[in-house]
Amino acid sequence: MARRRIGTEQGEAALSAWRADGAQSAPADVRTAVRYSLEELGEVAPGNSVEVRVPPAGVVQAIEGPRHTRGTPPNVVEMDPQTWLGLATGELTWADGVASGRVRASGQRADLSAVLPLF
C-alpha cells in the first residue's frame, strides 16, 4: 500500500473548498482534493488491476485482481477533476457519469460503483 502524501487536514480542507465553490475553486484546491481522494481510493480498494486517471491532477492503481506490469493497463478509468470529485463525494453517481460520457471506463474490472462515493 502506498503511503499518503496529502495529510487528512489538508485533504479535507481542499475537499471543503471544492464543495463550497465547485468549478470556481482555486486550481491548487482542486488538485489537492483530487490527489487526496485518489489516495483514499487506494486505501479503500487496494490493488493494481484498475488504473484511475484524473489528468492532470493524478493517477492511482486500485482494485484487487491481476497485476498490470507493461503497456496500457487492461482496466482504465479516466475523467476530468470535476467529474472525479463529484463521484468521490457522491454529488455524481457512477451510472450518470458513464451515461453522460464524463467517465470513460474500459475493461471488465473498470466499474467503480461498488467503492464510490468515498466521502
Side-chain angles (χ1 to χ4, degrees):
M1 187 175 334
R3 72 175 177 83
R4 282 196 176 271
R5 295 175 188 225
I6 309 281
T8 302
E9 188 174 308
Q10 182 184 10
E12 291 294 331
L15 276 174
S16 291
W18 178 81
R19 282 182 172 134
D21 298 328
Q24 311 322 312
S25 297
D29 286 335
V30 172
R31 276 190 309 275
T32 299
V34 168
R35 290 174 183 158
Y36 175 70
S37 56
L38 287 171
E39 289 175 1
E40 183 68 16
L41 176 63
E43 293 272 328
V44 169
N48 297 96
S49 69
V50 179
E51 188 165 286
V52 180
R53 300 173 180 169
V54 185
V59 63
V60 69
Q61 288 190 354
I63 313 296
E64 288 185 11
R67 182 176 177 85
H68 143 75
T69 57
R70 299 173 96 202
T72 301
N75 301 287
V76 176
V77 178
E78 188 167 347
M79 70 209 77
D80 64 81
Q82 296 295 325
T83 300
W84 169 250
L85 291 172
L87 290 169
T89 61
E91 293 185 20
L92 176 67
T93 67
W94 178 259
D96 288 344
V98 171
S100 68
R102 294 173 64 188
V103 174
R104 293 168 303 287
S106 63
Q108 63 188 109
R109 294 179 179 271
D111 182 342
L112 301 180
S113 60
V115 295
L116 294 172
L118 297 168
F119 306 99

